[in-house]
Amino acid sequence: MASARRRNNETSLDECQSSSKLPRNDKSHIAALILARGGSKGIPLKNIKMLAGVPLIGWVLRAAMDSGMFDSVWVSTDHDKIEEVAKAWGAQVHRRSPKVSREFSSSVETIQEFLEDHKEVDIVCHFQATSPCLHPFHVKEALEKITVHGYDSVFAVVRRHQFRWKEVEKGSGEQTVPFNLEPAKRPQRQDWPGELCENGSFYFAKKEIIEKEGHLQVKVVSAFNQLSIPFPNPAYVSPIRYGYFGKVTPEVVFLMFCNISGCLTDGKIFMSERQWCLSNTRDTTGLRILQNKLSSYC
């Protein structure tokens, strides 16, 4: 038996729902495009693996669609199962050619092929399928740079306060040197603005910018929303805390009752005047971890 209540998202409903159509200075066709090749070697079909009950690509598609900013939403893929999932989440599918489906095919090549086949598109918004912490307000703020303020290209970055040093080979005789600080004048965090590093979650550009350089602008994304998943990572839980769950926030369990018989035992029974069963400490430890996690969400 379980009880449930509404989950408190980091982003308010009003903020997400306010991302319906931005003011537009023209009638450009704006397309969202998620690249999802089926040949990932690290994790086969990584882009449709389930993450907190949602296919990985579904997190991105939901945020893009709920932003209300796009004339069309596409998934570029070479795989039947990815196509099936993409359509189930409301996206159109561009079947990419074998030429841009190779292991070393670049994103730019794949986007160029998409634009050749869809000449109606004026602005292409490329989202990484491995960005489950994307929110509609990220999309809104980034697109505003192009549609309202006249930028040609926008991409996501995070601000990091990390001192970087050159790595040297053992036995080379070289001495490591700093890349971005003077060791004798090491600044405190509050006195250093940090550095902007590509987040990887999205890259927006006008069609012509794909072929030539133009006016670039960055969109600083909250550090909590910087998660990308290129390989198995304990940070998989992050979307539960920082991900976008849709315009209507879901209910989550905050109280659960378990019967110890058959649930929390390792199957051992000790026979005496009374029957005794031996519980498994791993189960009870797991429940404590779950309790601590849920208490921070509810």
Side-chain angles (χ1 to χ4, degrees):
M1 182 173 67
S3 297
R5 71 177 178 187
R6 291 293 178 186
R7 179 184 183 278
N8 293 321
N9 260 332
E10 288 295 301
T11 306
S12 68
L13 267 178
D14 290 341
E15 187 174 15
C16 290
Q17 291 174 339
S18 68
S19 41
S20 57
K21 288 290 183 179
L22 277 174
R24 298 264 292 267
N25 294 334
D26 55 37
K27 295 183 179 180
S28 301
H29 183 109
I30 304 176
L33 178 64
I34 296 95
L35 307 183
R37 189 173 65 92
S40 173
K41 290 187 176 180
I43 304 177
L45 294 180
K46 169 185 64 179
N47 296 316
I48 56 173
K49 292 293 185 184
M50 298 301 288
L51 179 61
V54 175
L56 185 55
I57 197 172
W59 289 89
V60 182
L61 286 171
R62 176 164 55 194
M65 290 181 175
D66 281 2
S67 74
M69 301 310 303
F70 300 106
D71 298 297
S72 59
V73 177
W74 297 84
V75 170
S76 171
T77 189
D78 60 338
H79 200 280
D80 291 342
K81 287 187 178 179
I82 296 177
E83 176 176 355
E84 182 180 340
V85 172
K87 288 181 176 178
W89 281 82
Q92 300 181 71
V93 173
H94 172 257
R95 289 297 295 221
R96 63 171 71 179
S97 69
K99 180 181 177 181
V100 296
S101 299
R102 297 169 295 184
E103 182 179 356
F104 300 106
S105 297
S106 71
S107 296
V108 173
E109 291 176 315
T110 312
I111 294 171
Q112 287 174 339
E113 181 187 82
F114 170 80
L115 289 173
E116 289 175 4
D117 291 346
H118 300 280
K119 299 186 183 301
E120 74 279 6
V121 174
D122 301 296
I123 299 173
V124 60
C125 299
H126 168 214
F127 295 96
Q128 294 279 11
T130 52
S131 301
C133 292
L134 181 73
H135 278 249
F137 72 87
H138 294 141
V139 180
K140 176 182 182 295
E141 292 175 356
L143 263 177
E144 188 176 20
K145 300 290 185 183
I146 297 177
T147 60
V148 178
H149 300 294
Y151 289 94
D152 295 320
S153 178
V154 181
F155 58 94
V157 299
V158 291
R159 190 180 303 279
R160 290 181 177 158
H161 293 78
Q162 296 174 322
F163 298 131
R164 296 181 294 108
W165 293 75
K166 178 183 177 182
E167 184 177 2
V168 298
E169 293 184 14
K170 186 176 180 179
S172 67
E174 283 188 272
Q175 186 175 12
T176 186
V177 294
F179 282 132
N180 63 346
L181 81 151
E182 294 182 46
K185 299 180 181 179
R186 185 182 294 265
Q188 294 184 345
R189 182 184 177 92
Q190 62 268 26
D191 299 325
W192 181 45
E195 296 180 321
L196 298 182
C197 303
E198 283 194 26
N199 168 281
S201 58
F202 61 76
Y203 301 85
F204 298 174
K206 294 179 180 178
K207 179 189 293 188
E208 56 268 23
I209 204 64
I210 304 298
E211 301 293 341
K212 62 181 180 179
E213 293 185 1
H215 189 181
L216 299 178
Q217 170 75 347
V218 299
K219 166 70 177 77
V220 180
V221 176
S222 166
F224 293 123
N225 298 96
Q226 67 178 315
L227 175 67
S228 181
I229 302 181
F231 47 78
N233 192 313
Y236 269 18
V237 73
S238 291
I240 301 175
R241 188 73 176 95
Y242 303 112
Y244 172 66
F245 280 76
K247 292 182 178 179
V248 178
T249 54
E251 293 184 342
V252 295
V253 173
F254 73 95
L255 180 63
M256 181 173 68
F257 297 92
C258 291
N259 187 337
I260 190 171
S261 176
C263 296
L264 304 177
T265 69
D266 62 359
K268 294 179 180 179
I269 299 177
F270 295 88
M271 302 297 296
S272 62
E273 293 180 358
R274 296 182 180 181
Q275 180 175 307
W276 299 89
C277 60
L278 185 64
S279 64
N280 193 319
T281 58
R282 292 183 179 180
D283 289 333
T284 53
T285 299
L287 284 174
R288 290 192 187 99
I289 293 172
L290 177 62
Q291 183 183 27
N292 291 335
K293 291 290 184 183
L294 288 177
S295 65
S296 66
Y297 303 147
C298 299

